[in-house]
């Protein structure tokens, strides 16, 4: 960009900027700004990087670390408004907290690869009309809605827990806050743990506002992604409904965030950038100085704790909307039931199923386990069929007549002879998966029309919608499924829910096992009896005295939370302490073990932190890689991200190893 008359020595005056690239490297590079270009912080620019030209964002003034004479010039700015300051601040914050290169967060902001608009693209998105929302609310709902609307009007940071049982009309209440946000001409984001199963909610919201929300999730087509991203950035899309990744989009003017089902584990992203969508929503609301609504029928202990500490407000909806009553919950003590090894539906549940069918009502059987049987073993030698590349049993699926590994996706034909002792026809299926429950229903209730609902039997959102329609039309008597069907469906004729194995989630070393089991079973129970008919729920358990089962049976959520809270405090677990985990993995077992020990030996010596491990992870081998874990337990006031960063930075480890840092882990596998 030099002109014939330019003076030769212009280096001193050369302006430089630091450009962040959407790549998992460093925290940006300095580039020279050609004098004829007008560049602002946040500008989208194209820069030479290696042999390529890549897109980046002007992040800051040049750092000056590299002399200008050695720098390249940026090429040209793109015809896009600069990235908003709050979005940039959010990228930096999340990067620092999760110990992730900021470029990886920027990539999420850009929705993956930035796709420029094409000439024929039109961003005429239908606008939500707040005037269409009718206010047919109970007194309790009205009070809650007014409080939320006041926060939106205030336009300041505030977090409110909207706490109400299934069917209490939380959606109708937060819809009023969304309407207030639209009246102020600002954008609103509604986050859901999963998008695939939300057709019913989408329909309701579209009816409320006369326009469908703009979606953001992994299932969008290339074109939808491009249009939606630009409409959100330009402020032309006002109502955005998305999965956790939608939090990172560059909103032109975000005025409200709602996190529905805030307790859901699906908000935690476990791969790539490891973050918790709900927690990052709190950060985003704080940086943007906007209100945040956390909605749940079974709030997480973390959120409950923040309410107790006075950090979050608390709005409670006590009653179910309209005539609906809470279901009756019965515990079936499996130890006292005489059942054959091939039978999984107890007599009391079976009798209730017959009664419901005779009364032309619908039932749901819940078992959080896909496939036919979780374990196949050889009765001749005791060999258990295991995945060749994971520490996991192979799971028989009748639908495909194959054995599947649910960890890595490996599948194989069911062998005719045992690979260890060569005995033929000696394989036995141990325990039930939902396919096996369907088989039992077909054998014992041959006239009942049953259907299976699980993530692997539903190919698409369309498949889910069809199944929901069949339930609505009463073309199905008994729906058998995994936790996918615990999500917000409302079937008026569904009066009976049977939980095949209520104890399933309690095993293992997860400190949140009891809380999660309670939340899941409470949610499943909430499917029952949402119209005039009272619902009944049968929980089959071998631990009827367990606090989770007792709390469910007696409807004592708050008492359970208090007990659980005391346990967490006694054992220095979240929300009273902080956790982080390091997973070291690699193809060479010895290398992994040596590195894990080296990391442990370098651990900071402080009373405020305790290191557990290294120890083999519960899935000690996954996809052929050995995995070791370290868990760090720290006092609440320890800056765990900074401590772990300072701990790992000086260590040199083989490049063939991967060290995955998880701040606030939710998975302990
Ligand atoms: Zn054998
Ligand atoms: Zn596997």
């Amino acid at each position: 960009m030099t002109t014939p008359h330019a003076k030769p020595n212009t280096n001193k005056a050369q302006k430089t900027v630091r450009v962040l690239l959407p790549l998992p490297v460093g925290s940006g590079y300095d580039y020279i700004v050609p004098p004829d270009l007008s560049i602002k912080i946040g500008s989208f620019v194209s820069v030479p990087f290696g042999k390529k030209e890549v897109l980046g964002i002007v992040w800051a003034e040049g750092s000056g670390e590299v002399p200008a004479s050695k720098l390249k010039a940026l090429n040209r700015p793109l015809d896009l408004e600069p990235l908003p300051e709050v979005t940039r601040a959010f990228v930096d914050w999340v990067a620092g907290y999760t110990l992730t290169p900021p470029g990886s967060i920027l990539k999420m902001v850009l929705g993956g690869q930035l796709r420029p608009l094409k000439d024929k693209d039109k961003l005429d998105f239908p606008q939500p009309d707040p005037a269409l929302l009718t206010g047919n609310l109970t007194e309790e709902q009205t009070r809650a809605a007014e409080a939320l609307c006041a926060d939106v009007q205030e336009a300041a940071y505030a977090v409110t827990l909207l706490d109400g049982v299934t069917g209490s009309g939380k959606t109708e209440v937060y819809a009023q806050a969304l309407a207030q946000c639209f009246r102020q001409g600002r954008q609103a984001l509604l986050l859901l743990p999963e998008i695939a199963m939300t057709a019913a909610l989408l329909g309701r919201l579209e009816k409320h506002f006369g326009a469908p929300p703009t979606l953001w999730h992994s299932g969008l087509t290339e074109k939808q992604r491009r249009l939606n991203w630009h409409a959100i950035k330009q402020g032309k899309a006002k109502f955005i409904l998305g999965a956790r990744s939608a939090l990172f989009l560059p909103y032109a003017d975000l005025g409200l965030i709602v996190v529905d089902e805030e307790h859901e584990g699906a908000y935690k992203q476990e791969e790539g950038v490891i973050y918790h969508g709900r927690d990052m929503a709190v950060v985003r609301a704080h940086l943007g100085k906007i209100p945040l609504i956390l909605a749940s029928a079974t709030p997480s202990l973390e959120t409950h704790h923040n309410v107790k500490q006075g950090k979050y407000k608390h709005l409670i909806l006590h009653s179910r909307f309209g005539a609906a009553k809470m279901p009756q919950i019965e515990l079936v003590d499996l130890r006292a039931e005489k059942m054959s090894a091939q039978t999984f539906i107890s007599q009391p549940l079976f009798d209730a199923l017959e009664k419901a069918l005779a009364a032309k009502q619908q039932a749901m059987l819940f078992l959080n386990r896909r496939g036919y049987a979780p374990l196949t073993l050889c009765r001749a030698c005791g060999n258990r069929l295991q995945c060749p590349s994971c520490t996991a049993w192979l799971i028989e699926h009748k639908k495909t007549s194959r054995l599947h590994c649910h960890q890595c996706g490996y599948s194989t034909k069911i062998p005719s002879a045992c690979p260890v002792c060569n005995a033929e026809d000696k394989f036995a299926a141990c325990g039930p998966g939902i396919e096996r429950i369907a088989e039992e229903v077909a054998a014992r209730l041959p006239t009942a029309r049953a259907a299976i609902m699980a993530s692997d039997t539903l190919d698409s959102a369309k498949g889910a919608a069809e199944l929901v329609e069949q339930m609505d039309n009463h073309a199905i008597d008994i729906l058998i499924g995994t936790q996918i069907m615990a999500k917000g469906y409302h079937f008026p004729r569904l009066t009976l829910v049977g939980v095949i194995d209520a104890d399933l989630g309690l095993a293992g070393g997860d400190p949140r096992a009891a809380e999660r089991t309670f939340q899941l079973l409470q949610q499943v129970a909430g499917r029952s009896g949402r119209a005039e008919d009272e619902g009944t729920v049968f929980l089959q358990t071998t631990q009827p005295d367990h606090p989770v089962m007792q709390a469910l049976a007696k409807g004592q959520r708050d008492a359970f939370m208090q007990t659980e809270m005391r346990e967490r405090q006694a054992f220095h677990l979240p929300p009273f302490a902080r956790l982080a985990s390091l997973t070291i993995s690699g193809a060479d077992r010895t290398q992994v073990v040596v590195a894990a020990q080296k990391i442990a030996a370098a651990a900071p010596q402080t009373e405020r932190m305790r290191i557990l491990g290294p120890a083999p992870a519960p899935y000690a081998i996954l996809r052929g890689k050995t995995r070791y874990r370290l868990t760090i337990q720290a006092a609440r006031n320890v800056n765990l991200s900074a401590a772990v960063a300072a701990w790992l930075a000086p260590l040199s480890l083989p490049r063939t190893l991967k060290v995955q840092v998880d701040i606030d882990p939710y998975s302990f596998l």
Side-chain angles (χ1 to χ4, degrees), residues 36-67:
D36 56 336
L37 291 184
S38 142
I39 297 290
K40 293 180 197 149
I41 302 292
S43 285
F44 288 68
V45 291
S46 160
V47 298
F49 184 69
K51 286 184 177 147
K52 284 191 288 187
E53 195 180 306
V54 296
L55 170 113
I57 307 289
V58 175
W59 212 252
E61 300 297 332
S63 66
E65 283 161 9
V66 179

mmCIF file of all heavy atoms in Angstrom, residues 36-67:
data_model
loop_
_atom_site.group_PDB
_atom_site.id
_atom_site.type_symbol
_atom_site.label_atom_id
_atom_site.label_comp_id
_atom_site.label_asym_id
_atom_site.label_seq_id
_atom_site.Cartn_x
_atom_site.Cartn_y
_atom_site.Cartn_z
ATOM 1 N N ASP A 36 -4.445 3.576 4.730
ATOM 2 C CA ASP A 36 -5.679 4.018 4.079
ATOM 3 C C ASP A 36 -6.910 3.266 4.583
ATOM 4 O O ASP A 36 -8.016 3.477 4.118
ATOM 5 C CB ASP A 36 -5.548 3.849 2.557
ATOM 6 C CG ASP A 36 -5.211 2.410 2.179
ATOM 7 O OD1 ASP A 36 -4.643 1.700 3.045
ATOM 8 O OD2 ASP A 36 -5.510 1.998 1.050
ATOM 9 N N LEU A 37 -6.738 2.372 5.540
ATOM 10 C CA LEU A 37 -7.894 1.597 6.019
ATOM 11 C C LEU A 37 -8.397 2.155 7.345
ATOM 12 O O LEU A 37 -7.621 2.525 8.209
ATOM 13 C CB LEU A 37 -7.527 0.128 6.215
ATOM 14 C CG LEU A 37 -7.246 -0.689 4.953
ATOM 15 C CD1 LEU A 37 -7.008 -2.135 5.324
ATOM 16 C CD2 LEU A 37 -8.391 -0.573 3.955
ATOM 17 N N SER A 38 -9.713 2.190 7.456
ATOM 18 C CA SER A 38 -10.295 2.618 8.729
ATOM 19 C C SER A 38 -10.686 1.359 9.501
ATOM 20 O O SER A 38 -11.545 0.595 9.088
ATOM 21 C CB SER A 38 -11.503 3.513 8.455
ATOM 22 O OG SER A 38 -12.506 3.252 9.383
ATOM 23 N N ILE A 39 -10.007 1.133 10.626
ATOM 24 C CA ILE A 39 -10.194 -0.098 11.401
ATOM 25 C C ILE A 39 -10.576 0.271 12.823
ATOM 26 O O ILE A 39 -9.969 1.144 13.436
ATOM 27 C CB ILE A 39 -8.864 -0.898 11.430
ATOM 28 C CG1 ILE A 39 -8.452 -1.341 10.032
ATOM 29 C CG2 ILE A 39 -8.953 -2.085 12.376
ATOM 30 C CD1 ILE A 39 -9.305 -2.413 9.419
ATOM 31 N N LYS A 40 -11.603 -0.392 13.333
ATOM 32 C CA LYS A 40 -11.985 -0.195 14.737
ATOM 33 C C LYS A 40 -11.734 -1.494 15.497
ATOM 34 O O LYS A 40 -11.635 -2.555 14.898
ATOM 35 C CB LYS A 40 -13.483 0.115 14.827
ATOM 36 C CG LYS A 40 -13.894 1.430 14.228
ATOM 37 C CD LYS A 40 -15.402 1.584 14.409
ATOM 38 C CE LYS A 40 -15.943 2.643 13.480
ATOM 39 N NZ LYS A 40 -17.320 2.378 13.056
ATOM 40 N N ILE A 41 -11.698 -1.383 16.823
ATOM 41 C CA ILE A 41 -11.669 -2.604 17.626
ATOM 42 C C ILE A 41 -12.990 -3.327 17.356
ATOM 43 O O ILE A 41 -14.055 -2.716 17.392
ATOM 44 C CB ILE A 41 -11.542 -2.265 19.130
ATOM 45 C CG1 ILE A 41 -10.277 -1.444 19.402
ATOM 46 C CG2 ILE A 41 -11.575 -3.533 19.976
ATOM 47 C CD1 ILE A 41 -8.970 -2.165 19.197
ATOM 48 N N GLY A 42 -12.900 -4.623 17.072
ATOM 49 C CA GLY A 42 -14.102 -5.391 16.747
ATOM 50 C C GLY A 42 -14.311 -5.582 15.258
ATOM 51 O O GLY A 42 -15.152 -6.383 14.847
ATOM 52 N N SER A 43 -13.553 -4.852 14.423
ATOM 53 C CA SER A 43 -13.725 -4.973 12.972
ATOM 54 C C SER A 43 -13.411 -6.380 12.490
ATOM 55 O O SER A 43 -12.497 -7.039 12.999
ATOM 56 C CB SER A 43 -12.800 -3.998 12.235
ATOM 57 O OG SER A 43 -13.277 -2.690 12.332
ATOM 58 N N PHE A 44 -14.166 -6.832 11.506
ATOM 59 C CA PHE A 44 -13.897 -8.109 10.835
ATOM 60 C C PHE A 44 -12.878 -7.835 9.747
ATOM 61 O O PHE A 44 -13.107 -6.997 8.878
ATOM 62 C CB PHE A 44 -15.178 -8.671 10.197
ATOM 63 C CG PHE A 44 -16.173 -9.202 11.189
ATOM 64 C CD1 PHE A 44 -16.841 -8.351 12.057
ATOM 65 C CD2 PHE A 44 -16.464 -10.563 11.235
ATOM 66 C CE1 PHE A 44 -17.766 -8.839 12.963
ATOM 67 C CE2 PHE A 44 -17.391 -11.066 12.139
ATOM 68 C CZ PHE A 44 -18.038 -10.206 13.004
ATOM 69 N N VAL A 45 -11.739 -8.516 9.813
ATOM 70 C CA VAL A 45 -10.698 -8.274 8.815
ATOM 71 C C VAL A 45 -10.186 -9.606 8.260
ATOM 72 O O VAL A 45 -10.344 -10.656 8.858
ATOM 73 C CB VAL A 45 -9.503 -7.497 9.410
ATOM 74 C CG1 VAL A 45 -9.891 -6.070 9.740
ATOM 75 C CG2 VAL A 45 -8.959 -8.213 10.645
ATOM 76 N N SER A 46 -9.576 -9.479 7.088
ATOM 77 C CA SER A 46 -8.959 -10.646 6.484
ATOM 78 C C SER A 46 -7.452 -10.458 6.612
ATOM 79 O O SER A 46 -6.933 -9.379 6.337
ATOM 80 C CB SER A 46 -9.434 -10.697 5.039
ATOM 81 O OG SER A 46 -8.571 -11.485 4.300
ATOM 82 N N VAL A 47 -6.763 -11.493 7.103
ATOM 83 C CA VAL A 47 -5.318 -11.357 7.346
ATOM 84 C C VAL A 47 -4.555 -12.542 6.755
ATOM 85 O O VAL A 47 -5.093 -13.649 6.658
ATOM 86 C CB VAL A 47 -5.010 -11.274 8.865
ATOM 87 C CG1 VAL A 47 -5.640 -10.060 9.492
ATOM 88 C CG2 VAL A 47 -5.438 -12.552 9.580
ATOM 89 N N PRO A 48 -3.284 -12.304 6.361
ATOM 90 C CA PRO A 48 -2.477 -13.446 5.929
ATOM 91 C C PRO A 48 -2.052 -14.261 7.151
ATOM 92 O O PRO A 48 -1.646 -13.698 8.161
ATOM 93 C CB PRO A 48 -1.267 -12.784 5.253
ATOM 94 C CG PRO A 48 -1.188 -11.413 5.844
ATOM 95 C CD PRO A 48 -2.571 -11.016 6.260
ATOM 96 N N PHE A 49 -2.220 -15.579 7.072
ATOM 97 C CA PHE A 49 -1.838 -16.450 8.177
ATOM 98 C C PHE A 49 -1.209 -17.690 7.565
ATOM 99 O O PHE A 49 -1.885 -18.467 6.888
ATOM 100 C CB PHE A 49 -3.060 -16.804 9.023
ATOM 101 C CG PHE A 49 -2.727 -17.617 10.249
ATOM 102 C CD1 PHE A 49 -2.017 -17.042 11.305
ATOM 103 C CD2 PHE A 49 -3.101 -18.952 10.343
ATOM 104 C CE1 PHE A 49 -1.708 -17.787 12.437
ATOM 105 C CE2 PHE A 49 -2.795 -19.701 11.477
ATOM 106 C CZ PHE A 49 -2.097 -19.115 12.526
ATOM 107 N N GLY A 50 0.097 -17.867 7.761
ATOM 108 C CA GLY A 50 0.803 -18.929 7.048
ATOM 109 C C GLY A 50 0.693 -18.632 5.560
ATOM 110 O O GLY A 50 0.914 -17.501 5.126
ATOM 111 N N LYS A 51 0.272 -19.615 4.813
ATOM 112 C CA LYS A 51 0.139 -19.387 3.373
ATOM 113 C C LYS A 51 -1.279 -19.007 2.992
ATOM 114 O O LYS A 51 -1.583 -18.781 1.831
ATOM 115 C CB LYS A 51 0.550 -20.659 2.625
ATOM 116 C CG LYS A 51 2.066 -20.852 2.647
ATOM 117 C CD LYS A 51 2.500 -22.036 1.828
ATOM 118 C CE LYS A 51 4.012 -22.128 1.828
ATOM 119 N NZ LYS A 51 4.496 -23.494 1.773
ATOM 120 N N LYS A 52 -2.153 -18.964 4.011
ATOM 121 C CA LYS A 52 -3.561 -18.719 3.698
ATOM 122 C C LYS A 52 -3.976 -17.307 4.097
ATOM 123 O O LYS A 52 -3.255 -16.590 4.781
ATOM 124 C CB LYS A 52 -4.440 -19.726 4.446
ATOM 125 C CG LYS A 52 -4.409 -21.109 3.807
ATOM 126 C CD LYS A 52 -5.482 -22.007 4.378
ATOM 127 C CE LYS A 52 -5.173 -22.437 5.806
ATOM 128 N NZ LYS A 52 -6.097 -23.427 6.334
ATOM 129 N N GLU A 53 -5.179 -16.975 3.683
ATOM 130 C CA GLU A 53 -5.782 -15.740 4.147
ATOM 131 C C GLU A 53 -6.963 -16.147 5.011
ATOM 132 O O GLU A 53 -7.796 -16.945 4.586
ATOM 133 C CB GLU A 53 -6.273 -14.938 2.938
ATOM 134 C CG GLU A 53 -6.583 -13.509 3.265
ATOM 135 C CD GLU A 53 -7.058 -12.755 2.026
ATOM 136 O OE1 GLU A 53 -6.333 -12.782 1.018
ATOM 137 O OE2 GLU A 53 -8.142 -12.177 2.094
ATOM 138 N N VAL A 54 -6.986 -15.675 6.260
ATOM 139 C CA VAL A 54 -8.077 -16.089 7.137
ATOM 140 C C VAL A 54 -8.788 -14.872 7.717
ATOM 141 O O VAL A 54 -8.253 -13.766 7.770
ATOM 142 C CB VAL A 54 -7.604 -17.007 8.292
ATOM 143 C CG1 VAL A 54 -7.053 -18.316 7.787
ATOM 144 C CG2 VAL A 54 -6.591 -16.292 9.154
ATOM 145 N N LEU A 55 -10.007 -15.144 8.173
ATOM 146 C CA LEU A 55 -10.804 -14.086 8.752
ATOM 147 C C LEU A 55 -10.456 -13.953 10.237
ATOM 148 O O LEU A 55 -10.213 -14.943 10.907
ATOM 149 C CB LEU A 55 -12.276 -14.454 8.597
ATOM 150 C CG LEU A 55 -13.210 -13.543 9.364
ATOM 151 C CD1 LEU A 55 -14.035 -12.746 8.402
ATOM 152 C CD2 LEU A 55 -14.083 -14.336 10.305
ATOM 153 N N GLY A 56 -10.418 -12.729 10.730
ATOM 154 C CA GLY A 56 -10.180 -12.522 12.151
ATOM 155 C C GLY A 56 -10.899 -11.270 12.621
ATOM 156 O O GLY A 56 -11.522 -10.560 11.836
ATOM 157 N N ILE A 57 -10.800 -11.050 13.925
ATOM 158 C CA ILE A 57 -11.438 -9.875 14.516
ATOM 159 C C ILE A 57 -10.347 -9.014 15.151
ATOM 160 O O ILE A 57 -9.492 -9.533 15.880
ATOM 161 C CB ILE A 57 -12.444 -10.278 15.618
ATOM 162 C CG1 ILE A 57 -13.457 -11.302 15.097
ATOM 163 C CG2 ILE A 57 -13.138 -9.046 16.199
ATOM 164 C CD1 ILE A 57 -14.459 -10.768 14.115
ATOM 165 N N VAL A 58 -10.391 -7.729 14.896
ATOM 166 C CA VAL A 58 -9.460 -6.815 15.552
ATOM 167 C C VAL A 58 -9.833 -6.787 17.031
ATOM 168 O O VAL A 58 -10.930 -6.389 17.399
ATOM 169 C CB VAL A 58 -9.538 -5.408 14.931
ATOM 170 C CG1 VAL A 58 -8.657 -4.446 15.711
ATOM 171 C CG2 VAL A 58 -9.130 -5.467 13.471
ATOM 172 N N TRP A 59 -8.907 -7.278 17.867
ATOM 173 C CA TRP A 59 -9.252 -7.519 19.267
ATOM 174 C C TRP A 59 -8.774 -6.397 20.187
ATOM 175 O O TRP A 59 -9.387 -6.093 21.198
ATOM 176 C CB TRP A 59 -8.656 -8.861 19.704
ATOM 177 C CG TRP A 59 -9.480 -9.567 20.717
ATOM 178 C CD1 TRP A 59 -9.186 -9.735 22.029
ATOM 179 C CD2 TRP A 59 -10.758 -10.171 20.494
ATOM 180 N NE1 TRP A 59 -10.215 -10.407 22.642
ATOM 181 C CE2 TRP A 59 -11.194 -10.683 21.727
ATOM 182 C CE3 TRP A 59 -11.589 -10.312 19.371
ATOM 183 C CZ2 TRP A 59 -12.408 -11.342 21.876
ATOM 184 C CZ3 TRP A 59 -12.798 -10.970 19.522
ATOM 185 C CH2 TRP A 59 -13.193 -11.469 20.760
ATOM 186 N N ALA A 60 -7.618 -5.818 19.832
ATOM 187 C CA ALA A 60 -7.038 -4.790 20.709
ATOM 188 C C ALA A 60 -5.985 -4.017 19.923
ATOM 189 O O ALA A 60 -5.686 -4.356 18.773
ATOM 190 C CB ALA A 60 -6.391 -5.460 21.925
ATOM 191 N N GLU A 61 -5.424 -2.998 20.565
ATOM 192 C CA GLU A 61 -4.259 -2.333 19.984
ATOM 193 C C GLU A 61 -3.134 -3.362 19.898
ATOM 194 O O GLU A 61 -3.118 -4.332 20.665
ATOM 195 C CB GLU A 61 -3.820 -1.161 20.874
ATOM 196 C CG GLU A 61 -4.877 -0.072 21.064
ATOM 197 C CD GLU A 61 -5.256 0.619 19.763
ATOM 198 O OE1 GLU A 61 -4.405 0.675 18.841
ATOM 199 O OE2 GLU A 61 -6.410 1.078 19.637
ATOM 200 N N GLY A 62 -2.183 -3.113 19.003
ATOM 201 C CA GLY A 62 -1.063 -4.042 18.856
ATOM 202 C C GLY A 62 -0.323 -4.231 20.169
ATOM 203 O O GLY A 62 -0.179 -3.287 20.948
ATOM 204 N N SER A 63 0.162 -5.462 20.430
ATOM 205 C CA SER A 63 0.821 -5.735 21.703
ATOM 206 C C SER A 63 2.258 -5.228 21.693
ATOM 207 O O SER A 63 2.856 -5.024 22.739
ATOM 208 C CB SER A 63 0.812 -7.238 21.975
ATOM 209 O OG SER A 63 1.619 -7.904 21.017
ATOM 210 N N GLY A 64 2.823 -5.069 20.497
ATOM 211 C CA GLY A 64 4.190 -4.586 20.398
ATOM 212 C C GLY A 64 5.232 -5.636 20.719
ATOM 213 O O GLY A 64 6.414 -5.341 20.814
ATOM 214 N N GLU A 65 4.803 -6.874 20.885
ATOM 215 C CA GLU A 65 5.750 -7.939 21.239
ATOM 216 C C GLU A 65 6.719 -8.233 20.091
ATOM 217 O O GLU A 65 7.855 -8.620 20.315
ATOM 218 C CB GLU A 65 4.995 -9.218 21.616
ATOM 219 C CG GLU A 65 4.393 -9.150 23.013
ATOM 220 C CD GLU A 65 3.291 -10.165 23.245
ATOM 221 O OE1 GLU A 65 3.093 -11.044 22.376
ATOM 222 O OE2 GLU A 65 2.615 -10.058 24.277
ATOM 223 N N VAL A 66 6.221 -8.093 18.882
ATOM 224 C CA VAL A 66 7.054 -8.335 17.705
ATOM 225 C C VAL A 66 7.264 -6.989 17.008
ATOM 226 O O VAL A 66 6.307 -6.238 16.845
ATOM 227 C CB VAL A 66 6.348 -9.321 16.741
ATOM 228 C CG1 VAL A 66 7.192 -9.565 15.496
ATOM 229 C CG2 VAL A 66 6.052 -10.640 17.456
ATOM 230 N N PRO A 67 8.535 -6.647 16.644
ATOM 231 C CA PRO A 67 8.751 -5.359 15.975
ATOM 232 C C PRO A 67 7.957 -5.256 14.662
ATOM 233 O O PRO A 67 7.812 -6.249 13.948
ATOM 234 C CB PRO A 67 10.257 -5.337 15.709
ATOM 235 C CG PRO A 67 10.758 -6.719 15.987
ATOM 236 C CD PRO A 67 9.767 -7.401 16.860
#
